[in-house]
Amino acid sequence: MNPQPLRLRLTWNDAATGDRRSPIFDLPIALGRKLETMPATINGQRVSRIALNSSQVSRFHSVIAREGDSIVVTDTGSRNGTFVNGQRQTRCVLANGDMLQIGPYAIGISFTVNATETQSASSYIYFNPQTNLPDPAILPPPVSPPSTRGKGEFPPVTFLQASEVTMRSLEAAGMPVEEIDCAAVGGGLGSFIWVDLLRICGVKIDRIAVLGMEDKPYARYRRLCLNSQIPLHERLRSNSDSCPDNIWGWPPYALREAWQELLKGHFGVSVTVLWQVFAEPTFAETYTPKAGNVFDSIDREAARIGWHRMFRYGRVRGIRKTDDGRYAIAYSRSNADRREHAFLVAKYLHLATGYPAIQFLPDLQAYREKTKDFESVVNAYENHDSVYEKLEAKGGSVLVRGRGIVASRVVQRIYEARGRNRDIQVLHLMRSPKPQGNKFDRAQRSVENHYEFQPFNWPKACWGGELRVLLDNAKPEFRPQLLTDWGGTTTAQRSDWRRIVREGLSQGWYQITFGEVERVDRDSQNRTVTYIREKGLKGQIQLEADFIIDATGLDAKVKTSPLLDDLVVQYNLSLNQLGRLSVQNDFELLELRNSVPDRTQGRVYAAGAITLGGPYAPVDSFLGLQYAALRSVESLAKIRSSGIGQLSAGRSLVQWLKWIFNRSPG
């Protein structure tokens, strides 16, 4: 009698985007970089094929097949090897819960005989559209079909149903209509940097509008930093010369900090900062700026360019092309005291909406929905200071999920709490061991205690070096492979973090364990219990903890944002292979260009994480936002749009001097 058909669930995170995938496959399964090189059948059975897009993966890398009563993975002569639970193998029997490492992909193995089993859905903590704060209780903000909206709702049905609206119809709606040249949608750092460059290139204040929920351009970013345990005196993961307030990057943050410390009489600190910049990363730790210094600098520049005169409080509800080559933006500017709506009409748009949601592990979201316990299980990007306060007061145990930069900050904060209460234990749950670092060509990242190190989230050459040029020139279909090879979860190679981990492991208060979580529940003592499937379907491992902190990251999928999803559906916008907006090399959304005879063509540009997969890798970094702004404004200057001048050598020098002396751009 034939054995019962067995299927495998393979779970992994995309190395470039961090997106979680968890499909179920029939055996046998072939894994490799080129689908066409994989066999169609093995032993007469049709093969399930998984393409892993990385140069570290061989064309036909390995195969998983059934041999008798066992599931066996066989390396098919790959260049970089196949690892099972951190050990390189040529042939290995797999057990339920094993971790398979192929290139940059860590793949969890789960056995199932249930052919109808569905994938676990992704979970998120959405930003409340009214407060712009992470809201653990909010559901995905829906985009209602036009036909379901009532006559009194905003935007009007006729606005949402049309792909093109007339100025006459906007005026007939009986709401304020403001006409402008350039409009920035988002109101965050991406908007700020674009508007800053427009001002430097000659655009007047009264020709620019910014739509956002908070008047400080760094408000959400600052809040996420504080929540993820980066207080104002701590350092961000950013380069010295990536200055949102200074398009020239000079003087950089390091020089400014050194000067400030010298004025305070701290000569040694000043010299140390300068030494870091000149000697990094070989002889000194990579310099990064203090969060408070960055925000103070942005405040100075915001005042200089007249940010608050351009800012309009409002939540954008929809964007449509107009019949005269521009764009109409419907937005609500209601608050607790009044309910008000308006239209803004602009010739050029810039979309920098940021992250619409915080990623939250599905098993933790299910726990919170079941128990309504929002205190024991938290996301690192939520305000969870109460966790550390309780630990300092009473002690306890913490289970940390994720191992990137935020997880490092959480471990450091717990270490500081242990200075006040030694009765604190940390269990760090990782999906798989990390036997080796990501490789590209002859370069390879270092690994210590299963942390993969890199000064920034992408190799430095991605910002302004040869890797940036390589990606810019690459065809769109080849870009995902490059991003997979360069990307992945890393943390900065800071000596204090490495020392904390080594100290915790040697003293026993910090432990690392590996496994795929089945579910999270609560025991009779109201402690969280994390159930991990034991290998071979023999049972479960239970991990008890007073608190669980999810440090797995943010979400920037276009479909998660109602505004962007509406644009994609309405104008059939292209998405790239990573599921983000497909932009040109100047970051224009070409399908949204509004061409009307005898009129200047309206254009829409995008920036930030929603453009990952395009011509630039670190799109959500300070320098990435500056790069996108430079390319888009340069594009507008070439068509002589709305008084936007080229950033020539002469203009650049004059404007830099105005920046130095804190004078308005003009």
Side-chain angles (χ1 to χ4, degrees), residues 98-161:
D98 276 344
M99 296 303 303
L100 185 66
Q101 182 84 34
I102 296 178
Y105 295 91
I107 305 172
I109 305 293
S110 301
F111 296 175
T112 177
V113 294
N114 183 359
T116 61
E117 185 177 350
T118 58
Q119 298 184 29
S120 58
S122 299
S123 297
Y124 310 99
I125 298 174
Y126 288 86
F127 289 98
N128 187 302
Q130 301 304 321
T131 65
N132 210 21
L133 294 167
D135 188 339
I138 198 171
L139 295 174
V143 180
S144 302
S147 59
T148 66
R149 302 185 70 93
K151 292 183 178 180
E153 294 192 40
F154 184 83
V157 174
T158 53
F159 182 90
L160 289 176
Q161 287 177 331

Side-chain angles (χ1 to χ4, degrees), residues 222-239:
R222 180 180 184 271
R223 187 163 52 249
L224 292 175
C225 285
L226 293 174
N227 289 349
S228 58
Q229 305 311 300
I230 305 177
L232 299 182
H233 65 272
E234 281 284 359
R235 299 188 180 276
L236 303 172
R237 195 182 188 185
S238 175
N239 201 4

